[in-house]
Amino acid sequence: MRGTRRTRLCLAGVMAASTLIATPAARAAERTDGHLTDLVNPFIGTQDEGNTFPGAAVPFGMVQLSPDTGHSTGYDYTQNRVRGFSLVHLSGVGCRIGGDLPVLPTTGDVTQTDYAKYAAGFRHADEEASPGYYRVGLDSGIRAELTATARTGVQRYTFPATGRANVLLNAAQALHRPGGSKVEILDDRTVRTEITGHGFCRDTGPYTVHTITRFSRPFTAFGTWDGPTVTDGARTGRGGAYVRFDTTRDRTVEATTALSYVDADGAAVNLRAEGGRSFDAVRRRAREEWERRLATVRVQGGAPALRRTFYSSLYRSFLAPNVGGDADGRYLGWDRRVHRARGFTYYQNWSLWDTYRTQAQLLALLAPHEARDMARSVVRVDEDGGWLPKWGYGPVETNVMSGDPVTPFLTTAYQMGLLKGFEEQAYRALRKNADGVPPAAYPGIGREANAEYVAHGFAPYVWNRPLAKMGDSDYHHGASVTLEYALADAVLAQMARGLGHRADADRYAARARNYRTLFDPATGFFRPRDASGAFTGTPDPARAPGFHEGTSWQYQWLVPHDLPGVIALIGGERAANERLDAFFAYDRLLADPGRTAREVWVHGDAYAYYNADKYNPMNEPDLVAPYTYLSTGQPWKTTDVVHAALTLFTDGPTGMTGNDDLGTMSAWNVLSSIGLFPIQPGYDTWGLSTPVFDRVDLALDRRFWPGGRLTVTAPGTSAANRYVQGVRTDGTPHTRTYLRTGALRSLRTLAFTVGPHPSEWGTAPSDAPPALS
């Protein structure tokens, strides 16, 4: 089975030098003795549909105060006109949402109410951003600066000397589809708004946000507008408001805008709790918060560009989920009623189809206190609204994407010890979700195709089935949905077994094998089945329908709970390795990793999901695929593929691999760079591969990680010395290609020895990660 290993080991050793890992001289050129925030570039991903934002936020903040330039998700680096600085931006999402209350400083008379027409020009040469801060010089001669607290956005505008310095607050325009708004001038310093919107991929919603803006000094004039009609001196309106200042002597105006998803009183509570400080004081506090958060990981080694991409990815990993409750603990539940979180912070915005694969695990490792509250918040969604979420924005189920992502999200929290005290409550919600379908009156679809899946072992692919509810339909993606359901069943079985529910555990473990119902021996690939059970669609695995944002080639590895079973179906270890090599274009990868990544793997724009037989590093279904070699006796190839994929992360605006999806791709970069990756999402298995830094120190929360620190070392790691020769855990030789969370929890040192050629490390059958069954 492995007689060709020595030949392949020698071939792999001639792989071209990667730009990811610097020479020793270059590694000595820069150290992290200064501020880690200086290594973060918030502009990464703002071009070519990374869909990130450069504006101001604090970790997991409700507010992301950032410029909108006309792109559907806010900011596009190729555009040069700012429509306004708005409060809400989800990092890296693929559909329009947020952009609420764009605010823009102007001078002169207010004659336009369409922000696309009154937008201000700017140049990137007069623009900067860092964690918690954004600044731009507008062509109008106004300098705009932004910073933030958790629930407020703070603005500072420096105007030319004029008696007509305006701030426009546009309540009627946003990134989403408007659903109604109103604006009120409360006094000579305060403006209040209520904004309702719909949107996000489909006509989902509605949701409402409430804001209150308090200026640092009285305005000299004001007015509101409805549609194109501006009424000077009016105190109420449905479109927006302007307020005016005399800046002939004092040219600076500051304003604090508080946000609430609950009500106007909530916005006022948040303003009292977090407002009242100067712009500079808020900026310093935001920088300190980011410095503490980034300091949970300190790296040594690596070229400057590598360190910038790493810390920028770490920064983006901490942007979401977002605080959803007000400073008094109140939040709007999924039943549209007001509740109060006691003893924890309520979070919202659940891009679960994405984040369950990487970001959930990274937060459990580096931010376990917040990750625990996030898990409690998801369970609260079930408690308040009657069902667990699929893709939630604020208090709204969007039903975007498919499968059952909430299960591996919550079982990850369970395996990481984050559900203590409410394990059974979480399990009851998960069991209800796994065994049923939400009622017709509930807006969510849950496991929409569950009846057929439970009865027949597969979710049917019915491409023309009318949508029963807003969002996506599991029936439109029956093949990938079957794989996602089976993965969810596998990890739920492990949770059930851990809690002593043996009958449930056996039942879910049996259902976890349902992925086999899709395997077509005639093609050797997974294929969708129609409602009658017949294979349907073209047999070409690069073009087979029924897979959500991917092809059969890409989804064939999305059975991380039973890779031995998949390998057996394909025809054994040798056949699986041959298929993996074809999938990754491995021979071309050895010759030119960077070019292969950009020209072979990336075969189109960020949304080119289909008609491909190669690895797609820009999308979620393939995130765990490079680690499949850990299960086929060739772990050195995981290093080759991962390090080539890491070259796609760069330190410029185009430096993202597709949509970041609330930190999903960024977390992949962070974990893969460290050399620890969650290869069985929803369980507790961490795959090992060569780190890209000589040393990584992880400062861990002792409440959840008794050791308090984990140091990962790989002295001399470089393009020429990237292959694992051996691994030691606290000084003890470790031959397996993985660690379990229990072992990781007590570990203090994880030491890699690296060299110029692949070794026998991790190649024995007993070294591979076992199936969960």
Side-chain angles (χ1 to χ4, degrees):
M1 296 290 285
R2 300 185 183 178
T4 60
R5 176 180 298 127
R6 185 58 56 192
T7 300
R8 291 185 180 275
L9 291 173
C10 294
L11 177 63
V14 304
M15 183 174 178
S18 168
T19 59
L20 275 173
I21 306 176
T23 64
R27 286 199 300 271
E30 181 178 312
R31 302 186 184 278
T32 54
D33 298 334
H35 293 293
L36 296 176
T37 49
D38 293 337
L39 296 176
V40 174
N41 178 5
F43 290 106
I44 293 175
T46 59
Q47 187 175 334
D48 290 352
E49 304 300 330
N51 295 351
T52 58
F53 65 86
V58 296
F60 313 119
M62 180 186 291
V63 167
Q64 308 85 34
L65 186 58
S66 189
D68 295 326
T69 62
H71 188 268
S72 63
T73 62
Y75 185 93
D76 183 346
Y77 195 82
T78 65
Q79 300 184 30
N80 60 4
R81 290 176 64 80
V82 174
R83 298 181 177 191
F85 306 103
S86 62
L87 291 172
V88 178
H89 299 83
L90 298 190
S91 182
V93 296
C95 299
R96 63 179 68 243
I97 196 70
D100 300 288
L101 194 64
V103 177
L104 190 72
T106 69
T107 58
D109 294 331
V110 178
T111 59
Q112 295 282 357
T113 62
D114 183 344
Y115 68 177
K117 294 181 179 178
Y118 64 66
F122 73 100
R123 294 170 294 110
H124 292 304
D126 196 9
E127 182 184 35
E128 66 173 291
S130 61
Y133 177 72
Y134 173 87
R135 180 199 63 78
V136 65
L138 303 177
D139 291 349
S140 59
I142 302 169
R143 183 173 71 236
E145 298 174 273
L146 313 176
T147 189
T149 70
R151 299 173 180 86
T152 73
V154 185
Q155 310 134 65
R156 179 164 64 190
Y157 302 122
T158 304
F159 290 90
T162 177
R164 293 180 176 235
N166 312 308
V167 178
L168 311 184
L169 299 93
N170 197 328
Q173 291 183 293
L175 300 173
H176 55 70
R177 186 170 67 83
S181 60
K182 64 180 180 180
V183 59
E184 303 170 86
I185 310 291
L186 298 183
D187 56 39
D188 63 358
R189 293 188 184 206
T190 314
V191 181
R192 184 169 64 193
T193 72
E194 179 181 303
I195 301 166
T196 298
H198 305 254
F200 199 71
C201 296
R202 310 289 191 277
D203 186 16
T204 56
Y207 69 93
T208 299
V209 295
H210 306 265
T211 79
I212 186 165
T213 302
R214 180 76 171 172
F215 287 87
S216 58
R217 57 189 172 106
F219 23 87
T220 59
F222 58 85
T224 64
W225 67 79
D226 292 311
T229 303
V230 179
T231 304
D232 297 332
R235 289 189 173 272
T236 61
R238 296 198 171 276
Y242 78 87
V243 296
R244 180 166 293 156
F245 301 88
D246 185 340
T247 59
T248 53
R249 292 186 178 181
D250 183 355
R251 295 176 55 195
T252 300
V253 174
E254 295 186 6
T256 300
T257 301
L259 176 66
S260 172
Y261 286 80
V262 179
D263 53 25
D265 288 342
V269 165
N270 294 339
L271 184 63
R272 288 194 298 270
E274 300 182 15
R277 290 176 288 167
S278 70
F279 182 93
D280 288 331
V282 175
R283 180 187 176 187
R284 283 194 300 271
R285 178 66 178 271
R287 181 181 174 93
E288 290 167 358
E289 287 189 46
W290 278 114
E291 197 67 36
R292 286 194 297 270
R293 188 67 62 179
L294 296 173
T296 56
V297 184
R298 288 194 176 271
V299 304
Q300 295 180 22
L306 175 61
R307 295 153 76 86
R308 287 193 296 271
T309 59
F310 177 84
Y311 277 105
S312 297
S313 290
L314 186 61
Y315 160 78
R316 291 189 300 271
S317 299
F318 292 134
L319 287 171
N322 306 104
V323 171
D326 292 334
D328 60 3
R330 295 188 310 146
Y331 67 90
L332 188 66
W334 284 41
D335 55 0
R336 300 306 178 94
R337 296 180 178 179
V338 177
H339 304 269
R340 192 181 298 272
R342 301 184 186 277
F344 75 103
T345 298
Y346 182 79
Y347 290 90
Q348 61 188 18
N349 301 338
W350 306 109
S351 182
L352 296 174
W353 187 82
D354 310 288
T355 60
Y356 89 78
R357 308 165 199 262
T358 57
Q359 195 237 14
Q361 293 83 354
L362 182 64
L363 296 188
L365 184 66
L366 299 180
H369 178 77
E370 291 83 356
R372 174 177 166 83
D373 283 0
M374 291 167 188
R376 292 184 69 176
S377 300
V378 168
V379 175
R380 271 292 183 97
V381 171
D382 172 79
E383 183 179 342
D384 297 339
W387 214 266
L388 289 169
K390 183 166 251 182
W391 207 122
Y393 176 73
V396 175
E397 175 62 83
T398 72
N399 290 320
V400 170
M401 304 314 298
S402 56
D404 179 16
V406 72
T407 294
F409 173 84
L410 282 177
T411 61
T412 290
Y414 169 73
Q415 297 294 343
M416 299 291 278
L418 304 181
L419 298 187
K420 290 180 180 178
F422 60 105
E423 303 101 316
E424 288 293 346
Q425 181 185 2
Y427 179 73
R428 288 192 298 271
L430 286 169
R431 183 174 58 187
K432 177 175 60 177
N433 175 77
D435 290 343
V437 178
Y442 184 75
I445 63 172
R447 285 195 183 196
E448 185 185 18
N450 215 24
E452 296 91 335
Y453 171 82
V454 172
H456 307 299
F458 63 90
Y461 166 58
V462 188
W463 70 270
N464 58 351
R465 182 186 175 99
L467 290 173
K469 300 176 182 179
M470 60 187 179
D472 288 307
S473 171
D474 282 1
Y475 290 102
H476 295 175
H477 312 284
S480 58
V481 161
T482 299
L483 300 178
E484 299 269 12
Y485 286 3
L487 168 59
D489 284 337
V491 295
L492 186 56
Q494 297 298 322
M495 182 177 180
R497 199 170 305 282
L499 293 175
H501 303 293
R502 296 184 178 181
D504 283 354
D506 292 343
R507 181 164 55 89
Y508 292 132
R511 279 175 23 183
R513 295 168 59 86
N514 283 345
Y515 73 89
R516 295 169 175 264
T517 64
L518 299 184
F519 189 77
D520 181 3
T523 65
F525 284 86
F526 296 131
R527 292 184 63 190
R529 292 182 180 270
D530 62 21
S532 72
F535 287 119
T536 186
T538 175
D540 181 351
R543 290 169 174 77
F547 295 90
H548 205 170
E549 295 189 1
T551 69
S552 182
W553 267 99
Q554 290 152 6
Y555 270 94
Q556 67 186 315
W557 314 114
L558 193 63
V559 191
H561 59 284
D562 189 15
L563 281 176
V566 173
I567 292 166
L569 288 176
I570 291 174
E573 192 175 86
R574 181 173 182 175
N577 278 319
E578 289 174 352
R579 187 172 292 183
L580 282 165
D581 289 349
F583 180 61
F584 291 112
Y586 188 71
D587 288 344
R588 297 178 65 175
L589 180 68
L590 291 177
D592 194 336
R595 185 173 181 178
T596 301
R598 283 170 171 76
E599 298 182 6
V600 180
W601 295 349
V602 178
H603 64 279
D605 64 25
Y607 304 104
Y609 304 127
Y610 302 104
N611 302 323
D613 62 356
K614 293 295 182 286
Y615 170 53
N616 181 357
M618 302 194 299
N619 206 34
E620 280 72 15
D622 276 356
L623 291 182
V624 74
Y627 294 88
T628 306
Y629 283 119
L630 301 183
S631 295
T632 64
Q634 298 184 336
W636 69 90
K637 291 183 178 179
T638 287
T639 291
D640 290 336
V641 173
V642 167
H643 285 205
L646 286 170
T647 66
L648 296 170
F649 292 85
T650 64
D651 62 348
T654 61
M656 278 300 306
T657 56
N659 302 158
D660 197 29
D661 289 319
L662 272 68
T664 299
M665 307 307 292
S666 291
W668 187 94
N669 182 23
V670 170
L671 291 163
S672 294
S673 296
I674 292 172
L676 278 170
F677 191 85
I679 56 175
Q680 292 177 321
Y683 195 50
D684 69 345
T685 312
W686 300 81
L688 303 179
S689 65
T690 309
V692 300
F693 297 106
D694 287 344
R695 176 172 174 147
V696 180
D697 288 293
L698 305 177
L700 305 177
D701 189 332
R702 291 183 182 274
R703 292 172 295 179
F704 300 89
W705 297 89
R709 180 170 295 275
L710 173 64
T711 298
V712 182
T713 58
T717 185
S718 69
N721 294 285
R722 67 179 177 276
Y723 294 112
V724 178
Q725 308 298 300
V727 174
R728 287 182 174 268
T729 56
D730 285 342
T732 301
H734 182 86
T735 62
R736 292 179 176 177
T737 59
Y738 66 95
L739 284 167
R740 286 277 166 75
T741 296
L744 195 63
R745 195 179 301 280
S746 60
L747 203 61
R748 298 300 297 269
T749 61
L750 176 62
F752 291 82
T753 301
V754 296
H757 303 290
S759 71
E760 297 290 331
W761 176 83
T763 59
S766 60
D767 295 334
L772 296 190
S773 58

